[in-house]
Amino acid sequence: MIKTSLTKKEILFMWNDSLLVFLLMFPLLGAALVFFLPFSYVRSTALSVSLINFIASLFLWIQFDHSTPQFQFVTKITWLPISNLHIYMGIDGISLFFVILSTFLVPICILVGWVSIQTYVREYVIAFLILESCMIAVFCMLDLLLFYVFFESVLIPMFLIIGIWGSRERKIRAAYQFFLYTLFGSVLMLLAIILIYFQTGTTDLQVLYTTSFSEKRQILLWLAFFASFAVKVPMVPVHIWLPEAHVEAPTSGSVILAGVLLKLGTYGFLRFSIPMFPEASLYFTPLIYTMSIIAVIYASLTTIRQIDLKKVIAYSSVAHMAFVTIGLFSLNVQGIEGSILLMLSHGLVSSALFLCVGCLYDRHKTRLIPYYGACVHTMPIFSVIFLFFTLGNLSLPGTSSFVGEFLILVGAFQNNTLITTLAATGMVLGAAYSLWLYNRVVFGNFKPNFINVYSDCNRREVFMFLPLIIAVLWMGIYPEVFLDPMHCSVANVIQHGNFN
């Protein structure tokens, strides 16, 4: 008898097997659809596509097996048969939440530009949908060469977003600075990938995890990868492009840049540098610690003296990402899991703070702090929301950042008490610049000559902030939901590198 129907188990297996392909391709199909639609349907269609993709990404979390460190939802598609190269995708507990974070922030970015973006609207939403596919691909690729391809392809839509829809005259310079800094840093990584391919005959990540390199070659390859990832983080002293890019980018560009793109460097350290080159990672841990401590203290002190709202948050991002690198190279479970949580938390809190700056800029057309004061009288709802995310930025207990930073300090303390003590000063300085910023904007003297009585946050803006508030509280109050899926994967990385 010919079987004419599929069982529920077979349907579920087919869905799981093609879920990553769907998440990768659906935004591209949405971008193609938006290109041909009438203008009146452009924004709503793009928002619908991004929301459907976010809902689909939640099935990764729902169906994820916490008990195994193996890659799941694996899909393998032949790409270049001659070179034995495949589009090889899968996720584990490390990459799971970064995929969800990417799909979570794109609908918010489209909502941000609903009113403020009035030129080239069709191209604007297409750029974000293409960017979403590229970001998902980066976190899913299990082939080193294809990871590099998508790692660099992220630059193109982001370059256009800054250069076309930026808010000031220096936007072209900022776009080129962003592009060239990150591209030049990645050239060495490409050479390292070619060297790995000629030595091993493959770029399959799972095969490379079982391949051992000599100590000298590990050091050479680690430095090549470090040149690329350090610029993306960014680590001091290659951080100059970040404040410039944030200041010139539109609000949505700053949201996706802080929320996801800064995580590509630290994700690269965790996915490639640490498990593939464990001896080199141990060898260069003092260098990472030194650079990170300098970044925490220098960036925090620099933040306090800024007068541009976006530069304050941009420099605070440098300090927070330096905290992440300290946790990653503590090379223990607490430090690495704390780093992943802090990356996710920073993606939520920093994105929300840029949204707050966008709300102010849309009303008053300036980001200079001296022009602001007493916003609590004209924008009370905004002031409450801004307070919540300010407290999240300074790692108040009960918010997501506290859990991540606490675990990082616990992990770092097991290796070096001096580094932990110096890193903890970043939390004190973080409270200083966060409360200083909030006080200057929300309280202080009322400036009637500049800030008149404006309307508070509208319904669209409240709907942008609400999911971010829920996520920050959820992660801060009950982090075990987020920690459970990553336990096995993180333990596997540590065991693979013999870091115990």
Side-chain angles (χ1 to χ4, degrees):
M1 180 181 290
I2 299 175
K3 189 176 181 181
T4 58
S5 62
L6 297 172
T7 65
K8 290 183 179 179
K9 188 175 182 179
E10 289 172 330
I11 294 173
L12 182 61
F13 178 80
M14 291 176 62
W15 166 248
N16 289 346
D17 199 41
S18 59
L19 184 53
L20 287 181
V21 176
F22 176 85
L23 291 173
L24 187 63
M25 296 303 299
F26 190 63
L28 295 178
L29 295 174
L33 180 62
V34 165
F35 184 79
F36 293 105
L37 283 176
F39 180 77
S40 57
Y41 296 101
V42 165
R43 290 189 179 93
S44 57
T45 302
L47 180 61
S48 301
V49 168
S50 60
L51 286 173
I52 291 171
N53 221 41
F54 168 63
I55 293 169
S57 70
L58 293 178
F59 284 93
L60 293 175
W61 192 3
I62 294 169
Q63 299 174 26
F64 191 82
D65 184 0
H66 300 182
S67 62
T68 175
Q70 300 298 320
F71 288 98
Q72 301 176 43
F73 306 96
V74 173
T75 304
K76 198 168 188 177
I77 304 171
T78 301
W79 182 43
L80 289 177
I82 299 174
S83 302
N84 196 29
L85 291 175
H86 305 273
I87 298 177
Y88 189 25
M89 297 185 295
I91 61 168
D92 63 354
I94 294 171
S95 53
L96 169 65
F97 291 110
F98 291 110
V99 174
I100 296 174
L101 180 66
S102 301
T103 60
F104 176 71
L105 289 179
V106 169
I108 294 175
C109 290
I110 293 173
L111 277 175
V112 171
W114 203 271
V115 175
S116 58
I117 301 298
Q118 296 295 332
T119 57
Y120 302 111
V121 176
R122 191 189 306 273
E123 291 79 4
Y124 170 82
V125 297
I126 288 175
F128 269 101
L129 291 174
I130 294 174
L131 181 60
E132 181 178 7
S133 283
C134 293
M135 292 187 300
I136 293 170
V138 168
F139 296 123
C140 292
M141 284 299 158
L142 302 182
D143 184 278
L144 191 55
L145 180 61
L146 286 178
F147 168 82
Y148 176 82
V149 169
F150 288 104
F151 186 76
E152 293 305 306
S153 64
V154 167
L155 299 179
I156 299 171
M158 195 64 211
F159 172 80
L160 297 175
I161 289 167
I162 296 174
I164 297 175
W165 295 282
S167 55
R168 304 200 310 187
E169 295 179 358
R170 288 165 58 93
K171 60 187 180 182
I172 302 297
R173 180 179 182 275
Y176 275 107
Q177 192 174 22
F178 161 75
F179 190 89
L180 294 176
Y181 256 85
T182 51
L183 181 63
F184 285 161
S186 299
V187 171
L188 290 176
M189 185 170 76
L190 178 59
L191 295 176
I193 292 172
I194 294 172
L195 177 61
I196 290 171
Y197 178 74
F198 278 108
Q199 177 178 336
T200 63
T202 183
T203 53
D204 188 322
L205 188 59
Q206 291 184 294
V207 175
L208 293 177
Y209 279 169
T210 61
T211 304
S212 60
F213 300 93
S214 67
E215 186 175 349
K216 289 185 177 179
R217 181 149 290 187
Q218 279 194 38
I219 290 174
L220 180 65
L221 293 172
W222 190 95
L223 286 172
F225 277 74
F226 174 77
S228 176
F229 297 148
V231 175
K232 277 283 203 301
V233 171
M235 300 180 72
V236 173
V238 288
H239 68 290
I240 304 299
W241 64 269
L242 181 65
E244 190 77 12
H246 271 309
V247 168
E248 304 303 328
T251 302
S252 53
S254 294
V255 168
I256 207 69
L257 180 59
V260 180
L261 298 191
L262 295 191
K263 315 303 178 293
L264 298 183
T266 46
Y267 174 79
F269 280 132
L270 183 55
R271 175 62 78 215
F272 302 101
S273 298
I274 293 175
M276 287 172 55
F277 319 121
E279 294 176 17
S281 297
L282 282 171
Y283 181 81
F284 285 110
T285 293
L287 173 66
I288 295 291
Y289 277 169
T290 303
M291 294 179 68
S292 299
I293 289 300
I294 292 172
V296 167
I297 297 173
Y298 164 76
S300 298
L301 292 174
T302 306
T303 302
I304 297 174
R305 59 186 294 272
Q306 299 304 313
I307 62 170
D308 187 292
L309 287 166
K310 274 195 171 183
K311 279 195 174 182
V312 171
I313 305 169
Y315 276 106
S316 74
S317 295
V318 175
H320 283 106
M321 296 310 293
F323 241 103
V324 170
T325 53
I326 290 173
L328 288 178
F329 283 85
S330 65
L331 302 176
N332 53 46
V333 173
Q334 294 89 347
I336 293 177
E337 290 187 356
S339 295
I340 297 173
L341 274 186
L342 186 57
M343 282 189 267
L344 297 173
S345 173
H346 179 266
L348 300 171
V349 174
S350 186
S351 298
L353 288 173
F354 279 115
L355 290 177
C356 291
V357 174
C359 287
L360 292 174
Y361 184 80
D362 289 344
R363 288 160 173 78
H364 307 300
K365 303 304 177 187
T366 185
R367 291 191 293 265
L368 297 179
I369 297 173
Y371 285 104
Y372 287 99
C375 285
V376 68
H377 299 297
T378 59
M379 305 173 69
I381 297 176
F382 167 83
S383 299
V384 173
I385 294 172
F386 191 26
L387 174 63
F388 175 82
F389 290 112
T390 299
L391 295 176
N393 198 44
L394 60 84
S395 305
L396 185 78
T399 63
S400 52
S401 297
F402 172 77
V403 181
E405 292 192 5
F406 177 76
L407 286 174
I408 288 172
L409 293 176
V410 170
F413 194 82
Q414 298 176 35
N415 293 340
N416 194 313
T417 55
L418 176 61
I419 291 296
T420 310
T421 304
L422 293 174
T425 61
M427 300 181 73
V428 179
L429 293 172
Y433 62 69
S434 297
L435 295 176
W436 169 84
L437 174 65
Y438 186 80
N439 183 59
R440 292 286 297 277
V441 172
V442 175
F443 300 116
N445 296 323
F446 187 66
K447 299 177 176 64
N449 294 330
F450 177 72
I451 298 181
N452 299 315
V453 178
Y454 282 84
S455 61
D456 207 346
C457 290
N458 56 39
R459 185 180 301 175
R460 174 181 59 86
E461 291 167 336
V462 171
F463 280 136
M464 289 190 309
F465 285 116
L466 191 59
L468 291 166
I469 292 171
I470 294 170
V472 169
L473 283 175
W474 188 11
M475 194 182 297
I477 294 172
Y478 192 49
E480 194 64 25
V481 177
F482 299 87
L483 288 170
D484 272 345
M486 64 181 75
H487 282 324
C488 288
S489 299
V490 171
N492 188 52
V493 169
I494 294 170
Q495 183 180 6
H496 180 77
N498 294 318
F499 296 124
N500 292 323

